[in-house]
């Protein structure tokens, strides 16, 4: 699987750890994030990952900023993105199974390295369940169309 990753300055160090971990799991990583720790703007990186996922350049995405919130809000402005902030493994699994989230986000200032790895693994190992959940995804898509 191809996974797009994006980050701001608060998450550069954790990004490198997660990139290596995702490669160890057998996936390809496309780096859309910053590679430095100088202050920068997280919306740029949320947009880059969101556009790559929607365009099919990547199968899914991982976003990391200080909290995971700002960068996910930015990504969610891209039509077709369903980015969810996850600070635990259960949420990471359920956003994939129930919400068909195509991007997860977490905060470098919120979760530690090992928990971040566990969150990524829970998300990547899960699969969308469809059924009644597809009906809800369709409803979300309709909202997106109405407000485009």
């Amino acid at each position: 699987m191809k996974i797009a990753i994006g980050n701001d300055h608060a998450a550069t160090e954790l990004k490198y750890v997660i990139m290596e971990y995702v490669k160890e799991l057998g996936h390809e990583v496309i780096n859309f994030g910053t590679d430095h720790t100088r202050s920068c703007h997280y919306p740029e990186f949320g947009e880059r990952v969101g556009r790559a996922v929607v365009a099919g350049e990547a199968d899914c995405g991982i976003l990391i900023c200080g909290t995971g919130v700002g960068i996910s809000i930015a990504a969610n402005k891209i039509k077709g993105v369903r980015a969810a902030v996850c600070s635990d493994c259960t949420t990471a699994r359920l956003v994939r199974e129930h919400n068909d989230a195509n991007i997860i986000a977490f905060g470098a200032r919120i979760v530690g390295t090992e928990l971040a790895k566990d969150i990524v693994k829970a998300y990547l190992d899960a699969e969308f369940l469809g059924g009644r959940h597809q009906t809800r995804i369709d409803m979300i898509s309709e909202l997106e169309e109405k407000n485009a």
Side-chain angles (χ1 to χ4, degrees):
M1 198 168 9
K2 281 187 182 178
I3 301 166
I5 191 164
N7 64 288
D8 71 358
H9 58 280
T12 301
E13 185 177 319
L14 183 56
K15 184 231 350 221
Y16 287 126
V17 171
I18 296 302
M19 284 176 64
E20 278 308 308
Y21 181 66
V22 168
K23 289 175 187 175
E24 288 171 15
L25 293 175
H27 304 288
E28 182 181 338
V29 178
I30 308 167
N31 181 6
F32 288 97
T34 186
D35 291 324
H36 58 77
T37 56
R38 291 183 308 275
S39 183
C40 58
H41 305 295
Y42 60 78
E44 297 173 20
F45 308 107
E47 178 184 7
R48 289 178 190 169
V49 169
R51 291 197 187 284
V53 170
V54 170
E57 296 170 30
D59 298 300
C60 61
I62 298 170
L63 294 171
I64 319 168
C65 67
T67 64
V69 175
I71 202 165
S72 68
I73 290 171
N76 277 318
K77 298 301 179 184
I78 307 301
K79 183 178 175 184
V81 167
R82 286 179 306 282
V85 179
C86 302
S87 296
D88 62 83
C89 297
T90 301
T91 301
R93 178 178 53 82
L94 290 173
V95 299
R96 183 74 159 225
E97 291 178 352
H98 293 192
N99 309 114
D100 199 19
N102 48 15
I103 298 175
I104 58 165
F106 45 86
R109 295 175 179 151
I110 306 299
V111 301
T113 301
E114 294 307 312
L115 179 54
K117 288 179 183 178
D118 291 344
I119 288 167
V120 167
K121 183 150 178 41
Y123 172 74
L124 294 176
D125 285 352
E127 294 182 20
F128 181 53
L129 298 176
R132 72 182 190 274
H133 305 293
Q134 183 61 55
T135 301
R136 296 165 185 156
I137 299 306
D138 293 342
M139 292 171 74
I140 292 170
S141 295
E142 287 175 23
L143 283 172
E144 206 171 42
E145 289 300 320
K146 284 181 191 176
N147 294 302

